[in-house]
Amino acid sequence: MFYPFELEKYLGDLLPERDPLLQEMEEQALLETIPVVTPAVGNFLAQLVQVHNSKNILEIGTAIGYSTLWLARAVKINNGHITTIDMNINRRNQALEYFERANLSEYITSLFGDARKILPDLESKFDFAFIDAAKGEYLEYLELVTPLLESGGLLVIDNVLFRGWVVPGSNFDAKYNRMVNTLREFLTRLSQDPKYFTSVLPLGDGLAVSIKIS
Ligand SMILES: C[S@@+](CC[C@H](N)C(=O)[O-])C[C@H]1O[C@@H](n2cnc3c(N)ncnc32)[C@H](O)[C@@H]1O
């Protein structure tokens, strides 16, 4: 299946120009081949935070902090906070430097370690969760994040269409079979989960947006 990277680029080009720090991070991510969200997805995440008036965000998968900064800038307007988790120490340290440079450190708590070990120990509740870590672990994150998410909270999950290959009839290398099947099963589970009201959007690498129902 043809996946419209051209469309994503066009959607990014339509956005107002990003500030130099975000642009630098985009270049850094490209240089280190770190799969950060596209600008259109970053913009959409910030818009969701504003529309939903989210005040306590949880992010799984900080990397160098690109999506974190989009979310943090939006949550700052709501006088809120973001907690972000990553298990890669180098990326996390890079992220901390960017948070300082963005003057947003006070709005961000960065936790280092495996989210699957950290999440069960978190005590606060969140009204927005963004999952963007290991695709093969999405089901585990879902089970751990659900009890931490308030009713009416938003759950956003990136990469659920995995280059469009999750769409039946797509052509892709057989080495991705397992991952594609895992994501198909995950999307079926999430879409049919009575605790969530879900839409899947073909934005970026595919975004699932769910509201937690009480
Ligand atoms: C796609 S990158 C995140 C990109 C980031 N959200 C952005 O758009 O700027 C995925 C990150 O998840 C982290 N990760 C993968 N599995 C994890 C786990 N079990 N716990 C915590 N972090 C994990 C990786 O170290 C990596 O930095």
Side-chain angles (χ1 to χ4, degrees), residues 35-37 61 63 66-67 86-88 91 113-115 132-133 137 141:
V36 302
V37 294
Y66 181 72
S67 53
D86 207 289
M87 64 193 298
N88 180 315
R91 288 183 184 174
D114 188 328
D132 186 18
E137 296 172 2
Y141 304 146

Side-chain angles (χ1 to χ4, degrees), residues 25 29 34-38 41-42 45 59-71 84-89 91-92 111-119 130-135 137-138 140-141 158-159:
M25 293 171 87
I34 300 168
V36 302
V37 294
T38 62
V41 169
L45 290 173
E59 178 182 57
I60 305 177
T62 322
I64 61 169
Y66 181 72
S67 53
T68 320
L69 278 195
W70 278 100
L71 290 163
T84 183
I85 306 174
D86 207 289
M87 64 193 298
N88 180 315
I89 191 71
R91 288 183 184 174
R92 189 232 183 188
L111 303 177
F112 168 64
D114 188 328
R116 295 169 299 173
K117 298 218 170 83
I118 291 174
L119 292 170
F130 177 52
I131 297 179
D132 186 18
K135 292 184 275 296
E137 296 172 2
Y138 276 9
E140 287 175 84
Y141 304 146
D158 195 24
N159 305 114

Side-chain angles (χ1 to χ4, degrees), residues 23-92:
Q23 286 184 31
E24 183 185 320
M25 293 171 87
E26 287 164 18
E27 282 162 22
Q28 192 64 31
L30 210 59
L31 206 70
E32 295 184 40
T33 52
I34 300 168
V36 302
V37 294
T38 62
V41 169
N43 190 70
F44 182 61
L45 290 173
Q47 191 179 23
L48 283 178
V49 170
Q50 288 289 287
V51 170
H52 185 251
N53 196 24
S54 315
K55 291 188 165 48
N56 202 8
I57 301 178
L58 172 68
E59 178 182 57
I60 305 177
T62 322
I64 61 169
Y66 181 72
S67 53
T68 320
L69 278 195
W70 278 100
L71 290 163
R73 285 177 175 175
V75 87
K76 179 184 171 185
I77 297 166
N78 302 344
N79 287 317
H81 196 85
I82 174 165
T83 301
T84 183
I85 306 174
D86 207 289
M87 64 193 298
N88 180 315
I89 191 71
N90 294 328
R91 288 183 184 174
R92 189 232 183 188

Side-chain angles (χ1 to χ4, degrees), residues 144-168:
L144 293 166
V145 165
T146 297
L148 299 174
L149 196 62
E150 289 171 356
S151 293
L154 277 185
L155 173 66
V156 183
I157 307 173
D158 195 24
N159 305 114
V160 292
L161 294 177
F162 192 25
R163 304 172 196 177
W165 297 338
V166 169
V167 180

